[in-house]
Amino acid sequence: MGRILVEKDVEAAVKGGSVYAAGGGGWADHGRMLGYAAVSIGKPELVAVEELKDDDWIATAAAIGAPASTTPWEMRGVDYVRAVQILQETLSEKLSGLMIGQNGRSSTLNGWLPAAVLGMKVVDAVGDVRAHPTGDMGSIGMAGSPEPMIQTAVGGNRSENRYIELVIRGATAKISPVLRAAADQSGGFIASCRNPLRASYVRTHAALGGISLALALGEAIIEAEKKNGHAVIDAICETTGGHILAEGEIAAKDVVYTSEAFDIGTITVGSGDKAVTMHVMNEYMAVDDAGGNRLATFPSVITTLSPEGEPLSVGQLSAGMKVHILHVPKEIIPLSASVLDPTVYPSVEKAMGIEIARYALGNNKSPSP
């Protein structure tokens, strides 16, 4: 049986999602806005994909852009609803459920409001347990597919006449960059609904149970907050199965915003032979030690926590701050087909100037059955 999502689940989703945001993943207040709107307007129900029929349609509710940047973005709850409506009209069949492309500060809740308003289920499946920079990484194996997909984007800064409604059809890898361009034109952040797929496909290609993971983590964090920051960090490690890879003061931050709506660069934590370098593309994608040896790589979870255990986004970091770097190895989280798809890595490696695929695709377990 499904689980009706209620008011107390909103904060759990935001807090758990903030850890899996891996330095990106939107704004906590935006997540709260979406969640509280959803639970007050209806009864969003979280269901396992097994509860849907094989040929039911599931699409991905998402947000696109780099809202850690200082851009004039504006996105309203209604934009997520409109994006789903336009996709459903274009598909000319009813959607049964909405999944999400990734967990994050707000993205864990991306499906709740449209599902509550339009009478769909929130499917407990994600394109990636953690947040990632490109839509292809959450596309559950569609990135390299020639099959035409439908993607929509809705939103924008109204006062600057940046509001956009876009529907586009084509191969996922060719149309995803168009949505990024729309995000940039709209002010940096736009609501999206994309890639309608049958439930049978989602069942074998998505990372199943990904929203429940975020909710369970958030509940553990809320419980630990009654004690202290140390207890919060312990609870995060215990619940995720992760560990603190390194800790220290931020020595340098060198991150720039690009016209493709990405924040790209590096963050150095600690000094001397204890220093580590975090490689950023919206999110933390890799960590190297002082000798240039790789310590952690996407799709493992990499997150910066304050000494109080608060997950910090790339945009919140500045030199001199003390951080703990959480690492949850990819071997212990459900992985989707898209993070095991070699075609999603070249564009990211090119933008970042580092190797990702070799580490991401080595010694992996297959997607959850």
Side-chain angles (χ1 to χ4, degrees):
M1 267 309 287
R3 159 182 179 175
I4 300 292
L5 297 161
V6 294
E7 197 168 311
K8 71 172 177 59
D9 297 323
V10 175
E11 196 60 23
V14 169
K15 286 203 151 88
S18 294
V19 174
Y20 289 121
W27 302 96
D29 285 345
H30 187 64
R32 289 185 188 100
M33 180 271 288
L34 295 176
Y36 290 128
V39 299
S40 59
I41 211 165
K43 289 194 180 318
E45 186 183 3
L46 182 67
V47 302
V49 68
E50 290 80 14
E51 295 186 45
L52 298 181
K53 296 190 202 70
D54 277 2
D55 60 353
D56 280 354
W57 286 107
I58 297 172
T60 298
I64 299 168
S69 62
T70 51
T71 58
W73 70 275
E74 175 190 355
M75 203 144 70
R76 301 178 182 178
V78 66
D79 298 339
Y80 290 87
V81 177
R82 183 78 188 122
V84 175
Q85 279 175 320
I86 296 174
L87 182 122
Q88 193 164 248
E89 285 162 19
T90 310
L91 183 64
S92 63
E93 286 195 52
K94 187 150 171 38
L95 293 171
S96 298
L98 294 169
M99 57 174 282
I100 54 167
Q102 61 178 39
N103 276 309
R105 294 163 169 263
S106 53
S107 47
T108 300
L109 302 104
N110 279 347
W112 298 20
L113 184 59
V117 173
L118 302 171
M120 296 155 193
K121 304 292 189 201
V122 179
V123 181
D124 196 359
V126 296
D128 188 1
V129 164
R130 53 155 286 169
H132 49 249
T134 71
D136 287 349
M137 287 175 153
S139 68
I140 60 171
M142 296 310 295
S145 168
E147 197 180 322
M149 283 281 118
I150 305 166
Q151 301 194 4
T152 66
V154 176
N157 187 315
R158 272 77 165 171
S159 65
E160 295 186 10
N161 303 315
R162 289 171 175 265
Y163 179 81
I164 292 171
E165 288 191 0
L166 171 77
V167 58
I168 182 168
R169 292 173 180 265
T172 303
K174 293 292 174 265
I175 61 180
S176 294
V178 179
L179 266 67
R180 290 212 75 83
D184 188 54
Q185 294 300 324
S186 77
F189 200 38
I190 201 162
S192 158
C193 186
R194 55 180 186 245
N195 298 7
L197 293 159
R198 302 289 188 182
S200 55
Y201 182 90
V202 172
R203 193 177 304 134
T204 52
H205 291 78
L208 304 183
I211 295 178
S212 290
L213 279 180
L215 286 166
L217 175 55
E219 287 159 9
I221 291 170
I222 290 166
E223 196 50 44
E225 281 172 346
K226 297 171 186 168
K227 298 177 196 153
N228 54 40
H230 193 70
V232 173
I233 294 174
D234 286 349
I236 291 171
C237 290
E238 196 176 315
T239 311
T240 59
H243 54 271
I244 300 301
L245 187 66
E247 56 188 272
E249 221 169 79
I250 296 174
K253 178 183 179 180
D254 184 20
V255 177
V256 295
Y257 177 73
T258 72
S259 62
E260 288 82 41
F262 291 119
D263 286 311
I264 296 181
T266 58
I267 289 161
T268 311
V269 176
S271 57
D273 56 5
K274 283 265 198 294
V276 300
T277 300
M278 307 186 74
H279 295 276
V280 173
M281 183 168 176
N282 287 8
E283 287 84 20
Y284 306 119
M285 298 299 288
V287 184
D288 292 334
D289 70 12
N293 303 302
R294 184 62 57 85
L295 301 176
T297 307
F298 174 92
S300 296
V301 178
I302 305 164
T303 298
T304 42
L305 303 172
S306 75
E308 291 71 47
E310 184 197 343
L312 300 170
S313 69
V314 173
Q316 290 172 288
L317 299 184
S318 56
M321 290 170 76
K322 192 170 183 325
V323 292
H324 296 72
I325 301 171
L326 171 77
H327 176 220
V328 185
K330 64 179 191 274
E331 287 76 19
I332 62 172
I333 52 178
L335 299 176
S336 71
S338 41
V339 302
L340 301 177
D341 176 353
T343 69
V344 307
Y345 290 100
S347 66
V348 172
E349 291 181 322
K350 186 175 171 214
M352 298 186 71
I354 61 168
E355 275 193 297
I356 301 274
R358 183 159 70 89
Y359 300 96
L361 302 172
N363 340 310
N364 273 308
K365 50 179 194 174
S366 59
S368 43

